[in-house]
Amino acid sequence: MHDSGKLNLLSFTGKMKILHFSWIAFFITFFVWFNHAPLLGSIAESLGLTKSEVKTLLILNVALTIPARIIIGMLTDKFGPRITYAALLFLASIPCFMFALSDSFMQAAISRFLLGFIGAGFVIGIRMVSEWFPANELGTAEGIYGGWGNFGSAAGAMTLPTLALLFGGEDGWRYAVALTGAFSLIFSFIWYKNVSDTPKGSTYFKPKKIGGLEVTSKSDFVFLLIMKIPMYAALSLLTWKLSPAGVSMLSDSVALGIYLSLGLIFIYDCYSAYNVNREIFEKPVPEVHQYKFKQVAVLNVLYFATFGSELAVVSMLPLFFADVFELDMVYAGLLASAYAFMNLMSRPGGGWISDRFGRKKTLLILTAGLAVGYATMSMIDSSWPLFLAVGAAMACSFFVQAGEGAVFAVVPLIKRRLTGQIAGMTGAYGNVGAVFYLTVLSMVSYEIFFSVIACTAVLGFIALLFLEEPKGHMAEVKEDGTVELIEVS
């Protein structure tokens, strides 16, 4: 069913072709998602934005990604990665072009908010890669997918300012942004023409119902509802940040309307989850089909601390270096890009270590390293030699990104037909973490900010003690009613 042999990165056939197409699709989503970051100076000047309006754009950029990852996870499980990724790349090019053409803060804000949807692309490839790679290579393959794709934001930071200069004039940034949208649009067709959801002869297992994550016991259902709360809390926090209590982009009445809507959506979400899981209240699920939701919950907490802190730190690190060491922003930005640059090796490295030495052990070591790394960063001040501060940031980023790779080495091994939804929920928790950490940063010093991340990593380490190493097989039912066992260790 799977081509045998080791991962040959120079091969463009079979499963390796799928891996290359998947990371390129993900790379483009991040290239588009963060296309504004390196051009903020020109954009602010061109549209006459205030500092608080610029910060608002940064918050809006990650807002929609939380629900988007849940929705895209469901659509991926239902319709397959081929159609879902093609549709996402195609549709996301529209708000990208809107942003390039905007001539007021409101237009820029709305298009930036809509562009948050492209940040959900990551989830689709997690399911695609898990269909093509056996368990003993899955951590490495998912790590390459995540690490190389994630590099899209760093690639944007390196190339887009130059492109804007090449186009020249005060509209240079518009052409650079529009070009990223064109890449997304064109690649949606290339992707659709070149990939298939599974290897020939394999079954693409779909959830029995769409509308919520299936769980396999009553206690897990309660646990699922509890784990939904932080996602709504993060969206409420964003609303508060945009209300008159924060940057005053929304009036009090609009903010109140959003709070009420979030409350109603949460109630509907819980009802929808009950509808999907109604059967577990009538009869127990056969043991062969059970999985433990606590596995998902632990991975959510770990991704909150790893990817959540990465998103937050990537957006504040240039400013941190500039403030602490009195550097000019261009130089500080270059030094800070070393943090994101580590993704190319760290994330695949985390997946590879996980494949070789066990999922749980790897996660425990990396989470401990994460806590120590951020505790060290909380001690950086102007008395430190600059090279040591940059070294500490890079060492910390290794544990952060290797940890992300190790988390997604476990996600596809929990329940195959729910992989998109599980990846969606875990991915959304990364964004919840980013919203939480960025809100903390807006209220406290750098030192406390890094200490808070270190504390959440310690909580993640404690939660990890409850994770069970995936072993043996997971069972899925084929359309003809026969059971297929899929190896997970």
Side-chain angles (χ1 to χ4, degrees):
M1 200 183 297
H2 297 284
D3 344 14
S4 60
K6 289 282 165 243
L7 297 190
N8 174 11
L9 291 177
L10 298 177
S11 163
F12 286 86
T13 55
K15 62 185 178 187
M16 293 311 296
K17 174 185 165 185
I18 296 297
L19 179 58
H20 287 304
F21 270 99
S22 298
W23 76 254
I24 293 168
F26 179 35
F27 179 96
I28 290 172
T29 64
F30 259 57
F31 195 57
V32 172
W33 192 20
F34 289 102
N35 60 16
H36 63 307
L39 303 168
L40 275 176
S42 316
I43 294 168
E45 202 177 321
S46 173
L47 301 179
L49 305 181
T50 65
K51 273 191 171 171
S52 77
E53 287 173 338
V54 169
K55 282 185 177 164
T56 304
L57 286 183
L58 293 179
I59 295 172
L60 285 172
N61 197 50
V62 295
L64 198 59
T65 314
I66 297 171
R69 285 189 165 184
I70 303 292
I71 295 162
I72 291 289
M74 286 182 197
L75 295 175
T76 302
D77 286 342
K78 175 80 175 165
F79 299 106
R82 179 177 173 234
I83 289 175
T84 314
Y85 233 149
L88 181 72
L89 289 164
F90 181 89
L91 293 171
S93 67
I94 299 166
C96 185
F97 295 138
M98 278 167 58
F99 184 72
L101 295 169
S102 57
D103 53 17
S104 70
F105 168 65
M106 215 47 181
Q107 290 174 0
I110 291 165
S111 50
R112 210 66 246 174
F113 175 69
L114 293 174
L115 257 179
F117 219 91
I118 203 167
F122 167 68
V123 172
I124 310 170
I126 290 292
R127 174 82 199 243
M128 181 64 123
V129 172
S130 75
E131 291 291 335
W132 281 82
F133 285 81
N136 64 333
E137 295 174 353
L138 195 56
T140 314
E142 297 284 19
I144 290 167
Y145 165 70
W148 292 10
N150 220 329
F151 190 67
S153 58
M158 291 170 189
T159 58
L160 290 174
T162 313
L163 277 172
L165 281 174
L166 286 175
F167 285 118
E170 59 177 45
D171 286 341
W173 71 269
R174 297 180 188 276
Y175 293 113
V177 166
L179 193 64
T180 66
F183 284 146
S184 186
L185 186 63
I186 293 162
F187 197 76
S188 68
F189 293 99
I190 296 172
W191 166 267
Y192 188 77
K193 282 261 183 275
N194 284 282
V195 303
S196 60
D197 288 333
T198 60
K200 219 178 176 114
S202 284
T203 307
Y204 188 80
F205 294 106
K206 298 181 179 185
K208 294 186 195 116
K209 296 177 184 167
I210 190 163
L213 182 65
E214 288 171 39
V215 288
T216 52
S217 73
K218 292 176 198 169
S219 57
D220 276 0
F221 178 74
V222 176
F223 202 176
L224 169 67
L225 298 191
I226 293 167
M227 290 304 286
K228 285 179 182 289
I229 294 168
M231 294 190 274
Y232 287 89
L235 292 168
S236 303
L237 192 60
L238 279 169
T239 308
W240 174 78
K241 199 89 184 95
L242 299 174
S243 76
V247 294
S248 289
M249 183 186 159
L250 307 173
S251 67
D252 272 327
S253 52
V254 173
L256 184 64
I258 295 173
Y259 292 135
L260 288 173
S261 305
L262 285 171
L264 291 171
I265 294 166
F266 176 65
I267 293 164
Y268 175 76
D269 191 5
C270 293
Y271 172 72
S272 187
Y274 170 73
N275 250 348
V276 167
N277 291 293
R278 190 172 290 195
E279 287 165 20
I280 62 171
F281 294 95
E282 291 155 16
K283 57 177 193 287
V285 176
E287 200 171 328
V288 69
H289 295 305
Q290 286 184 14
Y291 80 95
K292 291 179 175 156
F293 180 74
K294 73 168 184 190
Q295 302 281 81
V296 181
V298 171
L299 296 171
N300 290 351
V301 172
L302 289 175
Y303 211 59
F304 179 102
T306 52
F307 188 64
S309 70
E310 184 187 346
L311 272 185
V313 172
V314 162
S315 44
M316 60 70 73
L317 208 54
L319 207 57
F320 172 71
F321 280 136
D323 285 355
V324 174
F325 295 100
E326 294 175 358
L327 309 170
D328 79 84
M329 274 307 285
V330 176
Y331 186 47
L334 272 174
L335 288 178
S337 70
Y339 185 95
F341 203 87
M342 294 288 285
N343 257 314
L344 283 175
M345 294 309 298
S346 309
R347 197 157 176 158
W352 181 84
I353 297 164
S354 199
D355 283 344
R356 294 292 169 282
F357 303 107
R359 316 286 180 200
K360 185 171 178 176
K361 194 193 300 175
T362 302
L363 277 167
L364 281 166
I365 293 166
L366 293 173
T367 309
L370 183 81
V372 173
Y374 279 120
T376 306
M377 285 189 74
S378 74
M379 297 177 208
I380 295 174
D381 59 29
S382 55
S383 68
W384 282 47
L386 184 58
F387 76 90
L388 208 58
V390 174
M394 287 180 80
C396 185
S397 85
F398 167 77
F399 288 104
V400 171
Q401 292 152 4
E404 293 161 12
V407 165
F408 275 93
V410 183
V411 165
L413 302 177
I414 295 174
K415 197 73 183 146
R416 174 60 58 85
R417 66 193 154 86
L418 306 175
T419 297
Q421 290 176 78
I422 293 170
M425 190 172 192
T426 303
Y429 258 81
N431 283 74
V432 171
V435 170
F436 172 75
Y437 294 133
L438 284 169
T439 306
V440 167
L441 177 65
S442 67
M443 300 175 181
V444 300
S445 66
Y446 292 129
E447 182 188 345
I448 296 173
F449 166 74
F450 288 126
S451 304
V452 167
I453 303 179
C455 291
T456 52
V458 172
L459 291 177
F461 186 88
I462 296 164
L464 245 180
L465 301 173
F466 297 96
L467 185 80
E468 292 174 24
E469 180 80 27
K471 51 180 177 283
H473 297 82
M474 57 183 163
E476 290 294 3
V477 182
K478 291 187 171 184
E479 280 175 10
D480 61 5
T482 56
V483 173
E484 182 177 320
L485 293 175
I486 302 163
E487 205 173 323
V488 299
S489 58

